[in-house]
Every structure is written in C-alpha cells, then in structure tokens.
Amino acid sequence: MTQLMNSEKASEITKRPYRKGNPLTGAEKQKAAIARKRITHKELKVFIEPETKDLLLDICAKNGLTQSELVSKLIEQEAKK
C-alpha cells in the first residue's frame, strides 16, 4: 500500500524547469558550428571521382589527418614550389 502512495506522489511532483532555455536540435548545433568556423575559414566545395575520394580517405587515415588538413597541406606544398 505504501508503494502505491509513493508512486502517486512521484507522479504529482513536477520536474524542475530547465533554466537555460530550450536545448538546441542537432541541426541547430551544426549550423552554429559552421557559423563559428566561417569566421576563420573559407568554404571549398569540390566534386571528385569516387576512386579519387577513396585515395584521399586512405591517405588521410595513414597520416592521421582530416581531409581539410590534407588538402590545405597539399595546396601549401604546391604554392612553395
């Protein structure tokens, strides 16, 4: 009997309100991250063949770099030549 009373009381108690506003959705978080990155970086969109993309991913995995880091590094090397 006491369990029933405890469960009734628990359902009557409301949760404490979230004081920092509504949490952001995944899409909103991604937009915010891109907006922060655009302050210091420029966007580059390219289309490459799937085989070339696979090669890029292999090189990145071997060197422990992101695709962005690798492309930046390659551009800098070509600019020095």
Side-chain angles (χ1 to χ4, degrees):
M1 189 70 166
T2 57
Q3 263 186 336
L4 281 175
M5 296 181 90
N6 288 341
S7 65
E8 287 176 17
K9 287 181 182 179
S11 65
E12 291 175 7
I13 299 173
T14 59
K15 290 185 176 181
R16 182 175 62 186
Y18 187 71
R19 291 180 285 148
K20 294 184 181 179
N22 294 330
L24 297 177
T25 64
E28 291 171 331
K29 289 177 188 177
Q30 194 171 20
K31 276 185 178 180
I34 290 171
R36 286 191 307 269
K37 190 169 274 192
R38 283 190 175 155
I39 295 170
T40 58
H41 294 76
K42 293 286 185 180
E43 185 176 10
L44 173 68
K45 289 188 177 185
V46 296
F47 290 94
I48 58 174
E49 295 176 358
E51 298 83 22
T52 308
K53 173 71 174 192
D54 293 338
L55 289 171
L56 176 66
L57 292 175
D58 289 340
I59 295 168
C60 289
K62 287 178 186 174
N63 294 320
L65 299 171
T66 64
Q67 294 175 39
S68 175
E69 291 169 339
L70 181 61
V71 170
S72 295
K73 203 173 195 180
L74 293 171
I75 292 171
E76 288 171 1
Q77 286 175 357
E78 282 298 313
K80 288 180 183 178
K81 286 183 181 179

